[in-house]
Amino acid sequence: QVLTDNGFCYTFNLQSYSTIFNEGILSSDFVEIPQDSSPIQWTLDGGYTTKADKTFPIRASKKNPIRFGMRLYEGYMRNICPLQGKAFKVIFHLPNEIPSFLHAEHLVALDHMKVFTLTASTSTMHSDLRTFSPEIRECYHENERKLKFFKIYTQKNCEYECLINETLNRCGCVKFSMPR
């Protein structure tokens, strides 16, 4: 269970907060921070460290797709849109990113089956290019840019941190779901 901009949400492939946030950062006063339970076998820059099928975070492929079902009680649902009726949102995010409105949201109506197909794309860089500065390459690797709240640099973590800092500068406070 994680607290997001939309309220409480559930995620199943999220790394623990201790691996996502820097020391001393509170992600929320309302949610207990999960403890590390499985060794992490994946990094954004390096990919998976093992060829095993069973990994954390979960690895999916054409041979080994992720399938899941959700059982919801209609009393917990609210009308998100009067034309669409009762539905819930599904957000796909990296295991080292907190789900937020920065990620694409997909509505799924009750009593409907929906199939999502995600296609991953990877970019590789020759090791010699790491000698060039990020400004020349026009990209950062996960350990090349220090963030205040997040241990790992990703574009979404950077965007979220910029929003948090700007909100704090303009308003003097941040939304309940934002790291602080």
Side-chain angles (χ1 to χ4, degrees), residues 143-159:
N143 62 350
E144 289 183 326
R145 188 164 186 193
K146 182 82 172 123
L147 297 173
K148 179 179 178 182
F149 298 110
F150 299 97
K151 284 184 178 179
I152 303 295
Y153 175 85
T154 68
Q155 184 174 342
K156 294 285 188 232
N157 284 349
C158 183
E159 290 170 357

Side-chain angles (χ1 to χ4, degrees), residues 9-14 58-61 64-72 88-93 104 106-109 112-118:
C9 295
Y10 295 90
T11 184
F12 67 88
N13 212 24
L14 183 69
I58 297 169
R59 178 192 314 216
S61 66
N64 189 27
I66 296 176
R67 290 187 173 98
F68 62 93
M70 292 185 270
R71 183 173 293 169
L72 302 169
F88 57 94
K89 294 178 184 177
V90 175
I91 297 174
F92 297 99
H93 60 91
H106 307 276
L107 285 179
V108 178
H112 285 77
M113 186 170 105
K114 193 152 193 175
V115 175
F116 295 99
T117 302
L118 302 177

Side-chain angles (χ1 to χ4, degrees), residues 51-115:
K51 299 229 184 258
D53 287 338
K54 300 264 185 197
T55 60
F56 179 76
I58 297 169
R59 178 192 314 216
S61 66
K62 284 184 179 182
K63 289 188 330 186
N64 189 27
I66 296 176
R67 290 187 173 98
F68 62 93
M70 292 185 270
R71 183 173 293 169
L72 302 169
Y73 298 102
E74 193 168 351
Y76 293 161
M77 302 297 292
R78 62 185 170 95
N79 286 328
I80 293 176
C81 178
L83 298 176
Q84 294 197 333
K86 294 185 178 188
F88 57 94
K89 294 178 184 177
V90 175
I91 297 174
F92 297 99
H93 60 91
L94 291 174
N96 56 3
E97 294 177 344
I98 299 298
S100 74
F101 68 92
L102 295 170
H103 297 89
E105 298 175 338
H106 307 276
L107 285 179
V108 178
L110 286 180
D111 297 328
H112 285 77
M113 186 170 105
K114 193 152 193 175
V115 175

Side-chain angles (χ1 to χ4, degrees), residues 40-52:
I40 297 169
Q41 299 163 315
W42 172 86
T43 64
L44 190 58
D45 276 350
Y48 284 93
T49 59
T50 178
K51 299 229 184 258

